[in-house]
Amino acid sequence: MYDFTYTKPSSVADATKLLAADPDAKFISGGQTLLPALKHRLNKPTTVVDLTGIGEMRGIRREGNTLVIGALTKHVEVETSAEVKAAIPALAQMAAHIGDTQVRNRGTLGGSVSNNDPAADYPAAVLGLGATVVTSKREIPADEFFLGMFTTALETDELLVAIKFPIPEKAGYAKMRNPASRYVMAGAFVSKGPQGIRVAINGAGPCVFRQGEMEAALAGSWSPEAVAGVKQNPEGMNGDIHGSAEYRAHLVTVMAKRAVASAG
Amino acid sequence: MPQVTLSVNGKSHTVEIEGRTLLVELLREKLRLTGTHVGCDTSQCGACVVHIDGESVKACTTLAAMCEGASVTTIEGLARPDGTLHPMQEAFREYHALQCGFCTPGMVMSAVDLVQKHPEGLSEAEIREGLEGNLCRCTGYHNIVKAIAAAQDVMHGRRETIAAAAQ
């Protein structure tokens, strides 16, 4: 790992000022993705800005029909939160199966969503629930946030502060993990609620995406059988040594079925 | 050079570090606490697991600078000062839960956190799932799982000694 300067601001304003002044600086929270990337020398930040001292980015609270989760919230906190389990049990269950215990004890919601790894879990929940991403500058609907592989609508000096999840009537998540790496081969987060019927697919393509045909099928009948007949086009799906595009396309339908079944 | 002040196994240390220094490097190279191992160095194998403020983490994927003010426990900090082993260490010995021993410090630290978080008790399947982040390449998992099952009874006061649990 190349060396860098380490700094720990205590407010969102101070953190974003550092990034505005130096585009080669990087934010860190849990570091479970950034540190492995730095070890591979995939990135050479001048300064690493530790966000964990920023109180305004913490906390889980319910505001009416919305669950607001601070960006610094660790996966283990979402997994064990009584508030999350009561409002969106599928989200708590999803968090409980990210990485392993030690990763969940460090990794954060904001880090996962900002990074937008195609095989990450949280982007599927954010898109599948139609959440709103709250940043240091604005509020971005999920449909406009995830732009491509490891790419989001965030500007260089823009910081993800919290995510507002609308509380659905039903929601479910299912994923097929690679047996060795445990990353998602294909996953589906489905929900029915204030944002309509939504099906978000992760792991299978270069970026999380909505499966419109499955959403239409579920609008007709909310049942696993409704999505069972919808085939995902393998064109544009990821193909690698772990699985072909055709295999991942097949998994999309299977995971969607399982997600609807788990949503009930 | 920047400094970090942290508590390791109950003792306060102020250590000079670089921004990029990892917690595992601080422990092994600065404090010479070499019980914490580096296996894969890619946060998969769990040989480097230590506790930060009571939570198990991978020390190879934690910046030392981010541990300012933290309380760190390593494998060296589990036994009592008189040398009496922690019940989890005793159970690993009793059940022969190690072959080459490389993964053992991380296994023990993960297991202690797992058991502490589940006072209601863990089934064999839950123990196996809880070890997701630790790899043993001797494939000694069966005895590791048995050791953890025995240790949880002692740690939660349901049995007095590991030997009793073994019977």
Side-chain angles (χ1 to χ4, degrees):
Chain A
M1 200 179 338
Y2 296 112
D3 198 19
F4 47 76
T5 303
Y6 166 87
T7 183
K8 189 176 181 181
S10 54
S11 71
V12 170
D14 287 347
T16 53
K17 255 183 238 161
L18 289 163
L19 266 281
D22 178 4
D24 291 326
K26 278 267 174 208
F27 294 129
I28 192 169
S29 51
Q32 300 303 286
T33 298
L34 181 63
L35 291 176
L38 295 186
K39 286 183 183 185
H40 283 115
R41 296 187 170 178
L42 295 174
N43 208 305
K44 192 181 177 185
T46 47
T47 301
V48 167
V49 180
D50 179 359
L51 302 173
T52 60
I54 304 178
E56 60 197 294
M57 291 172 67
R58 291 193 179 280
I60 299 172
R61 61 185 187 278
R62 188 170 174 155
E63 290 177 1
N65 204 27
T66 303
L67 196 62
V68 185
I69 306 184
L72 287 178
T73 308
K74 293 171 185 173
H75 308 326
V76 66
E77 294 170 315
V78 173
E79 170 186 351
T80 56
S81 158
E83 198 90 69
V84 178
K85 284 195 236 179
I88 318 178
L91 189 62
Q93 193 211 354
M94 189 215 74
H97 292 93
I98 298 173
D100 55 47
T101 302
Q102 291 72 38
V103 168
R104 294 194 292 275
N105 281 342
R106 296 289 291 177
T108 65
L109 167 66
S112 171
V113 173
S114 307
N115 188 52
N116 192 22
D117 187 316
D121 294 278
Y122 266 123
V126 171
L127 189 63
L129 288 164
T132 301
V133 178
V134 182
T135 79
S136 50
K137 297 183 177 181
R138 57 192 165 141
E139 297 202 352
I140 309 172
D143 286 325
E144 295 165 25
F145 185 79
F146 301 105
L147 301 184
M149 189 182 277
F150 296 109
T151 310
T152 69
L154 287 171
E155 292 164 12
T156 311
D157 62 339
E158 187 172 18
L159 180 57
L160 197 165
V161 175
I163 297 187
K164 293 180 176 175
F165 292 96
I167 296 169
E169 289 166 41
K170 292 169 183 238
Y173 179 59
K175 64 176 172 179
M176 176 64 77
R177 294 191 293 187
N178 177 289
S181 74
R182 317 305 267 165
Y183 276 104
V184 181
M185 300 278 291
F189 198 107
V190 302
S191 78
K192 181 182 186 182
Q195 296 290 310
I197 287 175
R198 300 174 71 95
V199 177
I201 304 296
N202 60 333
C207 178
V208 64
F209 65 92
R210 284 177 70 183
Q211 222 299 356
E213 291 167 73
M214 288 183 180
E215 292 177 356
L218 288 173
S221 157
W222 179 271
S223 67
E225 295 74 32
V227 289
V230 181
K231 296 243 181 297
Q232 169 66 43
N233 183 347
E235 199 178 322
M237 295 295 100
N238 297 334
D240 53 34
I241 55 163
H242 307 298
S244 64
E246 289 73 19
Y247 177 60
R248 282 194 168 84
H250 176 75
L251 282 180
V252 167
T253 302
V254 179
M255 293 306 116
K257 265 166 59 181
R258 289 184 189 175
V260 176
S262 81
Chain B
M1 194 172 263
Q3 289 186 330
V4 63
T5 299
L6 73 174
S7 159
V8 179
N9 300 331
K11 194 175 161 201
S12 179
H13 297 270
T14 298
V15 187
E16 289 200 340
I17 55 166
E18 292 182 295
R20 63 179 165 181
T21 303
L22 298 165
L23 176 59
V24 74
E25 293 168 341
L26 180 151
L27 295 170
R28 289 180 57 86
E29 294 165 24
K30 303 278 183 179
L31 303 184
R32 307 303 295 167
L33 291 169
T34 54
T36 302
H37 291 168
V38 180
C40 66
D41 203 19
T42 56
S43 61
Q44 297 177 70
C45 81
C48 65
V49 170
V50 301
H51 296 179
I52 299 179
D53 299 326
E55 304 278 342
S56 62
V57 303
K58 292 182 174 173
C60 84
T61 311
T62 302
L63 284 183
M66 292 177 79
C67 298
E68 176 68 37
S71 177
V72 176
T73 306
T74 70
I75 190 72
E76 290 92 341
L78 277 192
R80 290 202 209 129
D82 70 359
T84 308
L85 294 180
H86 184 281
M88 191 61 75
Q89 293 172 303
E90 186 65 37
F92 268 59
R93 182 167 71 180
E94 188 71 30
Y95 284 82
H96 194 68
L98 57 143
Q99 291 182 45
C100 84
F102 191 88
C103 73
T104 309
M107 283 285 181
V108 169
M109 297 310 286
S110 288
V112 168
D113 183 32
L114 179 66
V115 169
Q116 282 173 345
K117 295 272 166 61
H118 293 277
E120 76 284 5
L122 293 149
S123 67
E124 182 194 329
E126 287 165 336
I127 292 171
R128 287 182 187 276
E129 193 177 333
L131 293 180
E132 174 95 42
N134 292 78
L135 299 177
C136 164
R137 292 301 79 184
C138 305
T139 69
Y141 294 109
H142 288 322
N143 285 353
I144 291 170
V145 172
K146 283 181 198 162
I148 296 169
Q152 69 174 348
D153 288 346
V154 175
M155 285 172 68
H156 297 317
R158 289 192 278 269
R159 287 177 194 266
E160 282 192 10
T161 63
I162 293 298
Q167 282 158 13

